[in-house]
Structure formats: structure tokens, C-alpha cells
Amino acid sequence: MEYWKLIVLFSSCFVGGMSIFFFQKENTQRIKLLLSFSGAYLFAITVLHLIPEVYEAHDHNIGLFILGGFLFQIILEQFSDGIEHGHVHSATHGHHHFPYGIMVSLCLHAFLEGMPLTQGHQNELLFGIALHHIPAAFALASVLMQNKVSKNMIVTMIVLFSLMSPLGYLLSNGISNGSIGDIDAYFDRIMAVVIGIFLHISTTILFESSVDHHFNKRKLIAVLSGTAIALAGFFLH
């Protein structure tokens, strides 16, 4: 068990959420650039590492699970309103109530993201997930604040959200070494579902904030930088 991974997963998410109390949420340009960088990096890691590994271990039927994960993320976003992508303003629709749907779907999403970290190129993927969770946690905290949730409750929910990926990591670690149940044979299928989720998240991040699908200069640099770092890790490995 590599406990430093749990610390990275928790702290990146927690810092991202708590930063809502120190920075103006209207200043979203840097958040968008961080999202673009992490989206490109996550997409490249998925294509270069995760997809080849699951196809190497199984026949082409594994693609059904990847497709299932992709569609599952679409369903999740009907409840989360795209918080995973850094969306903030469209999430509350003018109502002041606790956003249970957003909280549950986002926690489930984060839990599943932590599961692939026990096998393969987990260090590269850990970096991508940690970067992705910073703006996601910031967006969640902003939605809670817009819904007039108390400061103490916001902190509590950020802590809960920050625990989800570490818990996913712990569960998948138990599954992969056989200490939790006897379902080690299904681990690659679980990975395939998560790959589908990553594909949806990363591609949506890359294109949804671009007018007519055109990147401005800063976003293009962020995307190319994220891809270059993933490629460097691929060739060095």
C-alpha cells in the first residue's frame, strides 16, 4: 500500500475546494487552462496506457465495458450538471437548496476515478486525476456556496468529496490482490468502465469551452503541454 498516493488524492481535491474561500470564483480563466491541461493529459494517458493494457488482457469484447463506462458518465452528468468539467454557473438554476444529486453523482464519479490507480501506470494517472480534481472541487464548493450552504457544511462536503478517490483506490487495491472478495478476475472489466468515464470526461473538457471548437492560444499551449508530458512519460517508460 502506497499511502502517499492517498495523500495526493485527498490533498489536491481538498485544496481545490477550500480555495473557494480565498479566490474570486468569477476569475475562471486559470481554472479553464488547468482543466484543459489535465483533460489533455488524462486523455493521452488513457489512450497510451490504459486502453492498450485492457485490450492486451482481454479480447475485443472489453470494448463493451468501455462503451458502458462512457454512457454511464453521460447519465451521471444528468445529476451533476457537469461539475466534473468545472461548470459552476449553470448548476443551481436559481434554487437555494442542498444539491443532493450533484453531490452523490460527483462522489461516485471520484470514487470510480480512484480505482485504476493500483495497476499499470498509476503514477502518471495519479497526476492527471489530482489535477482534474482541483477545479472540480472548486466548482463543487462554488455550487454549495451559491445554494446558501453554511461554511461548515461546505468544508464537510469538500472533505467527503476528497475522500472518495482514496476510498476507490483502497477498494480496487483490495480487489486486485484478492483480499476483498474473490473478484480479481473482473478487475480489468472495472478498469474498462473507468476508461470509458475518462474518455468522456477528458474529451468534454477539451471541447466544451471552445467557441466553434477552436482553441485560443493559451488553451492550445495548455493542451499541447499536457499531451507532451504524457508522451514524455510514455517514451521514458
Side-chain angles (χ1 to χ4, degrees):
M1 179 70 66
E2 297 178 280
Y3 293 101
W4 67 271
K5 294 179 183 177
L6 301 177
I7 296 174
V8 170
L9 287 172
F10 178 87
S11 59
S12 62
C13 191
F14 182 76
V15 169
M18 294 302 294
S19 64
I20 191 66
F21 299 115
F22 304 99
F23 298 99
Q24 293 295 323
K25 61 179 180 296
E26 291 80 7
N27 186 14
T28 60
Q29 185 60 35
R30 292 182 180 178
I31 295 177
K32 289 181 179 180
L33 290 176
L34 179 59
L35 275 169
S36 298
F37 176 87
S38 63
Y41 182 87
L42 192 61
F43 178 78
I45 290 298
T46 301
V47 172
L48 294 173
H49 299 305
L50 299 182
I51 292 178
E53 287 174 3
V54 294
Y55 272 102
E56 183 179 4
H58 292 273
D59 57 30
H60 289 178
N61 288 334
I62 198 69
L64 294 173
F65 294 90
I66 295 177
L67 179 60
F70 190 92
L71 296 175
F72 179 65
Q73 180 59 34
I74 293 177
I75 295 173
L76 277 183
E77 290 184 10
Q78 303 308 304
F79 303 94
S80 68
D81 288 324
I83 297 297
E84 302 94 328
H85 312 143
H87 282 172
V88 175
H89 300 295
S90 63
T92 62
H93 306 294
H95 301 297
H96 292 161
H97 57 82
F98 189 87
Y100 290 102
I102 290 176
M103 192 68 205
V104 172
S105 59
L106 197 60
C107 284
L108 179 58
H109 166 82
F111 182 85
L112 292 173
E113 278 192 327
M115 295 190 71
L117 294 172
T118 57
Q119 292 187 355
H121 300 266
Q122 62 268 42
N123 290 343
E124 295 93 339
L125 188 56
L126 176 72
F127 179 65
I129 293 174
L131 280 177
H132 164 57
H133 279 176
I134 294 173
F138 182 88
L140 173 61
S142 180
V143 167
L144 293 173
M145 186 174 290
Q146 287 181 29
N147 281 284
K148 308 302 181 182
V149 177
S150 68
K151 183 176 180 179
N152 288 339
M153 182 58 71
I154 291 176
V155 173
T156 300
M157 292 300 101
I158 292 301
V159 170
L160 177 62
F161 178 50
S162 301
L163 288 172
M164 289 297 105
S165 285
L167 288 175
Y169 170 81
L170 291 173
L171 176 63
S172 64
N173 183 72
I175 293 174
S176 62
N177 62 31
S179 63
I180 298 179
D182 189 23
I183 56 175
D184 185 45
Y186 299 98
F187 186 81
D188 287 328
R189 293 179 175 86
I190 297 173
M191 281 283 298
V193 172
V194 176
I195 286 171
I197 293 174
F198 286 158
L199 284 175
H200 185 281
I201 290 294
S202 59
T203 53
T204 304
I205 287 174
L206 289 176
F207 292 108
E208 69 173 357
S209 61
S210 302
V211 179
D212 296 326
H213 300 293
H214 292 144
F215 292 175
N216 59 40
K217 184 176 180 180
R218 289 184 177 181
K219 183 171 182 177
L220 180 60
I221 292 174
V223 169
L224 292 178
S225 298
T227 305
I229 292 176
L231 284 170
F234 174 76
F235 287 115
L236 288 175
H237 180 81

